[in-house]
C-alpha cells in the first residue's frame, strides 16, 4: 500500500506540473514600413502640417501570423504622380524583402478612415479588416466624411472580404500582447495599437496626436470629430504608457520615425 500511495503521489505531482506547464510564447516582431508621405499643400496650406509628413505602416508578426497596421498612401501616387501624396514603393514590394506574401497577412488593422491610412488595403484581399465601428459606419454612409476614401476598402464594404467592426478594445492574437485600443476623437472609431515587445511595449497612436507640438500645446486639427473624446483618449493613452513604461509613436511625426529600426530590420 505504501508503494501504491507513493506512486500515486508521484503521478499526481507530475500531472500537476504537466498541467501547469507554460504555453509556448510566440515571438513578436514589429516592422516600420514606408507607406508614403504628404508634402505641404501649397495651394491650400494646412495649419496642422509644417513639414513633409511621413505616412508609415507597420507589420506585426506573432509567430507565423501577421497583422498589417494601416495601409498608407494609395498606389496611384507611385512615382510621385500626385501633387501632394507621394509613394516610392508599395507595401507588398517591401514585404517581399522579408519573405512575406500578401496572402499571409491575416489581419489589416486601420487606425482610422482617412485615405492616407487606407490606401493600399486592397493588396491584402484575404485579410480580415479590423476597424472601429464608428469609422466603418462613416465609410458606408451615403455621404462619407471629408478625407475618407471608401474605395480603399471596397471589398470589405461590399461583403466580399471579412470585416470586424470594433466597439471595444480588441485582442488580435488572443494572448494580450497585441491590442487594438479604442481612442475615439480624431474620427468616430479611431484606434491605436499596443504591441508588447520583449524589449518593451510600443503604442502606435495613429493620429491621436499629429505632432509633438500637438502633445506639448494640447492642440488638435479642427476637423477632429470629437474634441472631448480626443482629450479623453489622449489621457487614456498617456496613463497607459506611464503604467507600462511604453514608447508612444506618433505616426505622422518625423522625429518619431527613428523610434523603430529602419526597414527591413524589426523591433523585437
Amino acid at each position: 500500500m505504501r508503494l501504491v500511495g507513493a506512486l500515486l503521489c508521484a503521478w499526481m505531482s507530475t500531472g500537476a506540473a504537466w498541467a501547469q506547464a507554460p504555453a509556448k510564447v510566440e515571438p513578436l516582431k514589429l516592422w516600420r514600413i514606408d507607406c508614403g508621405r504628404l508634402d505641404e499643400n501649397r495651394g491650400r496650406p494646412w495649419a496642422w502640417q509644417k513639414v513633409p509628413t511621413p505616412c508609415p505602416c507597420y507589420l506585426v508578426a506573432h509567430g507565423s501570423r501577421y497583422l498589417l497596421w494601416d495601409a498608407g498612401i494609395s498606389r496611384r501616387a507611385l512615382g510621385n504622380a500626385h501633387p501632394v501624396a507621394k509613394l516610392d514603393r508599395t507595401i507588398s514590394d517591401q514585404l517581399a524583402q522579408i519573405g512575406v506574401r500578401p496572402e499571409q497577412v491575416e489581419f489589416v488593422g486601420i487606425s482610422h478612415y482617412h485615405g492616407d491610412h487606407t490606401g493600399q488595403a486592397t493588396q491584402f484581399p484575404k485579410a480580415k479588416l479590423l476597424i472601429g465601428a464608428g469609422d466603418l459606419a462613416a465609410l458606408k454612409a451615403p455621404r462619407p466624411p471629408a478625407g475618407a476614401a471608401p474605395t480603399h476598402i471596397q471589398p470589405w464594404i461590399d461583403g466580399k472580404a471579412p470585416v470586424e467592426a470594433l466597439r471595444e478594445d480588441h485582442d488580435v492574437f488572443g494572448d494580450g500582447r497585441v491590442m487594438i485600443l479604442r481612442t475615439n476623437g480624431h474620427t468616430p472609431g479611431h484606434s491605436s495599437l499596443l504591441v508588447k515587445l520583449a524589449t518593451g511595449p510600443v503604442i502606435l497612436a495613429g493620429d491621436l496626436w499629429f505632432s509633438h507640438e500637438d502633445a506639448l500645446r494640447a492642440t488638435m486639427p479642427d476637423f477632429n470629430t470629437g474634441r472631448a473624446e480626443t482629450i479623453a483618449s489622449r489621457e487614456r493613452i498617456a496613463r497607459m504608457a506611464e503604467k507600462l513604461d511604453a514608447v508612444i509613436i506618433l505616426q505622422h511625426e518625423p522625429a518619431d520615425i527613428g523610434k523603430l529600426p529602419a526597414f527591413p530590420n524589426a523591433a523585437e
Side-chain angles (χ1 to χ4, degrees):
M1 288 295 293
R2 291 181 180 177
L3 178 59
V4 172
L7 288 172
L8 182 60
C9 288
W11 178 84
M12 290 179 65
S13 62
T14 302
W18 174 83
Q20 295 172 11
K24 179 184 177 183
V25 177
E26 296 287 359
L28 280 183
K29 290 185 178 182
L30 174 63
W31 287 269
R32 175 180 54 80
I33 303 169
D34 178 5
C35 295
R37 69 185 185 278
L38 295 172
D39 284 350
E40 184 179 1
N41 188 347
R42 299 187 183 280
R44 185 169 62 88
W46 294 320
W48 42 271
Q49 183 195 27
K50 305 231 176 126
V51 295
T53 301
C55 299
C57 308
Y58 304 87
L59 183 72
V60 179
H62 181 278
S64 60
R65 302 173 70 189
Y66 295 97
L67 161 73
L68 178 71
W69 180 251
D70 279 342
I73 298 292
S74 169
R75 62 192 308 163
R76 286 178 294 185
L78 271 172
N80 300 325
H82 193 277
V84 176
K86 310 295 182 183
L87 183 67
D88 297 322
R89 298 180 64 195
T90 65
I91 299 171
S92 54
D93 283 346
Q94 292 173 78
L95 295 190
Q97 278 187 254
I98 56 174
V100 177
R101 301 184 306 278
E103 59 268 25
Q104 290 178 270
V105 175
E106 186 177 352
F107 303 106
V108 172
I110 298 298
S111 65
H112 63 289
Y113 59 52
H114 288 145
D116 55 318
H117 292 258
T118 60
Q120 298 174 62
T122 55
Q123 290 184 37
F124 308 92
K126 295 186 177 181
K128 174 184 277 191
L129 186 73
L130 304 174
I131 185 170
D135 277 24
L136 184 61
L139 287 165
K140 289 182 173 181
R143 287 189 173 182
T151 56
H152 290 174
I153 62 164
Q154 203 66 50
W156 295 278
I157 289 177
D158 293 343
K160 295 178 180 178
V163 59
E164 187 166 354
L166 307 178
R167 291 176 171 81
E168 300 177 346
D169 292 352
H170 180 71
D171 186 347
V172 178
F173 297 107
D175 63 2
R177 293 188 296 153
V178 181
M179 298 289 301
I180 297 177
L181 308 171
R182 304 281 0 104
T183 50
N184 300 345
H186 183 64
T187 61
H190 186 278
S191 304
S192 300
L193 186 72
L194 169 64
V195 184
K196 295 182 179 178
L197 298 170
T199 52
V202 172
I203 298 174
L204 305 175
D207 284 11
L208 186 55
W209 293 273
F210 191 81
S211 65
H212 288 172
E213 185 176 354
D214 268 355
L216 290 170
R217 297 176 181 270
T219 54
M220 65 185 73
D222 56 10
F223 52 80
N224 275 23
T225 58
R227 181 174 181 82
E229 283 186 316
T230 301
I231 293 170
S233 293
R234 287 176 173 182
E235 289 175 350
R236 181 196 182 198
I237 293 302
R239 288 194 301 270
M240 183 179 293
E242 183 176 12
K243 180 179 179 180
L244 298 176
D245 194 22
V247 173
I248 298 176
I249 293 178
L250 312 188
Q251 293 182 206
H252 284 310
E253 170 57 66
D256 280 9
I257 290 293
K259 289 181 178 178
L260 291 175
F263 191 83
N265 295 316
E268 300 185 44

